[in-house]
């Protein structure tokens, strides 16, 4: 006999956990089915940066609401801990992108985001260990920083369970069942489940999961190496930072480490389950070279560890938050290496889309699945043309 539940969430990463939490808060008793264990996909490898600087207003709004309503008040809003650290965030822009930087910051200020354009001299005053060479201006967000994606996932899940959700791990969804144009449930390694709502939040595996419902979703994988470096003892305060000039990003990791990564060595199109969980040969050497241009003291650092994570990526590098032609079957996938910081507000908006038909927390309509068929790929007003849009 199949088990019956009122909603199924496929995948217990941070986005699945957030959607399950918001559905449970609205009175549903969702069942979260996870192939392995919670946060075993992209979430467990996330760099956890929280910043509001995007070239697309809808993405800035998703992170702003995620900060304002959730990360800034985690214990009261969700319970547990997200590990949020307000270190400040710097977006360092290439000289030729000054007008774009100013355009993006102006758009973000209109949304109410605490951000401003500051000069290279001001960057050095705020963070004396950063060398302000090869750029004139940066965007600075004093409220941003980073959080812990695994802690965030676990607190969403614990809270969802308190509201009646069920989490089943080691339970791979192997088939999606439909009748009369409606989804009716799923088959899994641990039996069958009937439900009128099924949400595909399967990260790098979402393309395959969508194909079980007969849908072709334009997704490939993005594989990204991340290093943890020992923090030199003489290094002062550093922010979370995306540096478009040296093409890397970094942030503190607690008081003893620095997390850093670049985009040059990231791979596209690996199998979601590719065993190759080791970084490329040149990754570390290149990264240290890039970082030393901004933080010379990093030369005194040593390697603590490296890990590799994999997310799903869409042709326009923007998420898909959407219903589909199969009634009751939803997509929250293709998060394109940037879906942690948006997960609270995106999960709330997905729950509203599912239950009310209209998202209210943030209008996620621009992220609809049909944009690919319509040829309306998302494009920021002032794009810098790199992966960290
Ligand atoms: C290295 C790296 C660094 C990143 N840094 C940042 C950052 O600094 N800031 C930021 O905002 N974002 C960042 N991201 C992106 C962000 O972490 C991801 O977008 C987000 O974690 C994705 O969450 P998810 O729940 O959609 O997917 P995942 O965490 O991948 O979860 C999907 C889950 O689905 C499960 N699953 C798959 N198939 C099935 C099936 N058939 N049945 C049941 N379960 C299934 C998987 O086992 C997995 O646990 C980064 C990503 C990576 C990889």
């Amino acid at each position: 006999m199949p088990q019956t539940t009122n909603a199924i969430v496929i995948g217990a990463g941070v986005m699945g956990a957030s959607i399950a939490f918001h559905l449970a808060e609205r009175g549903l008793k969702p069942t979260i089915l996870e192939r392995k264990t919670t946060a075993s996909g992209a979430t467990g490898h996330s760099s956890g940066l929280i910043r509001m600087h995007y070239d697309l207003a809808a993405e800035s709004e998703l992170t702003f609401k995620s900060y304002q309503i959730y990360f800034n008040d985690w214990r009261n809003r969700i319970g547990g801990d997200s590990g949020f650290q307000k270190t400040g965030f710097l977006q360092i822009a290439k000289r030729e992108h000054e007008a774009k930087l100013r355009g993006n910051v102006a758009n973000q200020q209109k949304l109410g985001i605490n951000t401003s354009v500051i000069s290279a001299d001001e960057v050095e005053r705020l963070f004396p260990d950063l060398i302000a060479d090869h750029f004139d201006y940066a965007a600075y967000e004093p409220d941003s920083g980073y959080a812990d994606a695994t802690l965030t996932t676990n607190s969403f899940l614990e809270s969802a369970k308190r509201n009646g959700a069920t989490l089943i791990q080691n339970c791979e969804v192997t088939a999606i069942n439909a009748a009369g144009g409606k989804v009716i449930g799923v088959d899994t390694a641990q039996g069958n489940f009937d439900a009128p709502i099924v949400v595909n939040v399967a990260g790098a595996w979402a393309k395959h999961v969508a194909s079980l419902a007969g849908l072709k979703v334009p997704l490939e994988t993005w594989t990204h190496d991340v290093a943890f470096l020992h923090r030199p003892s003489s290094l002062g305060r550093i922010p979370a930072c995306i540096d478009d000039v040296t093409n890397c990003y970094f942030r503190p990791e607690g008081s003893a480490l620095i997390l850093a990564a670049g985009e040059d060595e990231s791979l596209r199109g690996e199998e979601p389950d590719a065993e190759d969980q080791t970084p490329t040969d040149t990754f570390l050497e290149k990264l240290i070279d890039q970082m030393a241009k901004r933080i010379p003291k990093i030369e005194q650092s040593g390697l603590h560890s490296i890990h590799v994570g994999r997310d799903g990526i869409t042709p326009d590098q923007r998420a898909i938050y959407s219903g589909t032609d199969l009634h009751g079957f939803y997509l929250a996938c293709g998060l394109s290496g940037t879906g942690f910081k948006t997960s609270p507000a995106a999960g709330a908006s997905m729950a509203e889309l599912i239950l009310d038909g209209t998202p209210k927390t943030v209008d996620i309509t621009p992220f609809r699945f049909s944009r690919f068929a319509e040829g309306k790929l998302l494009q920021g007003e002032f794009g810098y043309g790199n992966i960290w849009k």
Side-chain angles (χ1 to χ4, degrees), residues 90-324:
L90 267 185
Q91 170 78 49
I92 295 179
K94 292 179 178 165
R95 287 195 167 111
E96 65 266 32
H97 288 162
E98 183 188 332
K100 291 178 173 183
L101 182 82
R102 290 188 185 281
N104 285 326
V105 167
N107 282 348
Q108 289 146 20
Q109 286 170 337
K110 277 183 219 150
L111 291 170
I113 294 171
N114 181 13
T115 180
S116 57
V117 174
I118 63 173
S119 69
D121 287 348
E122 284 171 283
V123 168
E124 273 196 353
R125 264 198 301 278
L126 279 169
F127 304 103
D129 280 326
L130 262 57
I131 298 298
D133 282 349
H134 307 298
F135 74 96
D136 294 329
Y137 294 101
Y140 182 51
E141 298 170 7
D143 296 336
S144 294
Y146 70 94
D148 182 316
T150 302
L151 279 181
T152 301
T153 305
N154 288 339
S155 35
F156 270 137
L157 289 172
E158 286 310 309
S159 201
K161 285 195 270 181
R162 283 195 294 278
N163 286 330
T166 304
L167 167 68
I168 308 179
Q169 303 185 68
N170 299 307
C171 185
E172 178 169 358
V173 170
T174 53
I176 293 174
N177 303 317
K182 296 179 179 173
V183 75
I184 55 169
V186 303
D187 297 348
T188 80
Q190 295 190 40
N192 305 342
F193 294 77
D194 286 346
I197 296 167
V198 175
V199 195
N200 174 2
V201 204
W205 299 264
K207 181 179 184 168
H208 169 69
V209 169
S211 75
L212 299 177
L215 288 181
K216 257 183 123 165
V217 180
L219 283 175
E220 60 175 346
T221 61
W222 167 79
T223 302
H224 184 60
D225 306 333
V226 177
F228 293 86
L229 306 169
H230 291 287
R231 185 184 184 115
S233 55
S234 63
L235 184 67
R237 186 169 83 97
I238 59 165
C241 176
I242 293 179
D243 188 340
D244 270 353
V245 175
T246 61
N247 205 18
C248 69
Y249 69 85
F250 53 84
R251 65 161 175 83
E253 167 73 10
S255 56
L257 298 176
I258 293 169
L259 177 152
E263 189 51 37
D264 295 347
E265 308 281 307
S266 296
L267 301 171
R268 294 283 189 97
E270 301 284 283
E271 285 300 313
D273 278 316
E275 286 301 317
D276 184 18
Q277 288 290 310
T278 50
T280 54
D281 294 342
T282 45
F283 163 67
L284 189 62
E285 199 182 324
K286 207 165 185 173
L287 180 63
I288 298 286
D289 277 357
Q290 287 165 311
M291 276 194 76
K293 288 184 191 134
R294 190 65 65 214
I295 312 179
K297 283 184 182 168
I298 211 71
E299 302 275 17
Q300 303 158 24
S301 174
L303 179 66
H304 173 274
S305 54
I306 296 182
H307 72 201
V308 180
R310 193 167 282 137
D311 203 357
I313 190 164
T314 64
D316 58 8
Q317 294 177 29
R318 321 282 178 165
I320 303 171
Y321 301 122
S322 190
T324 67

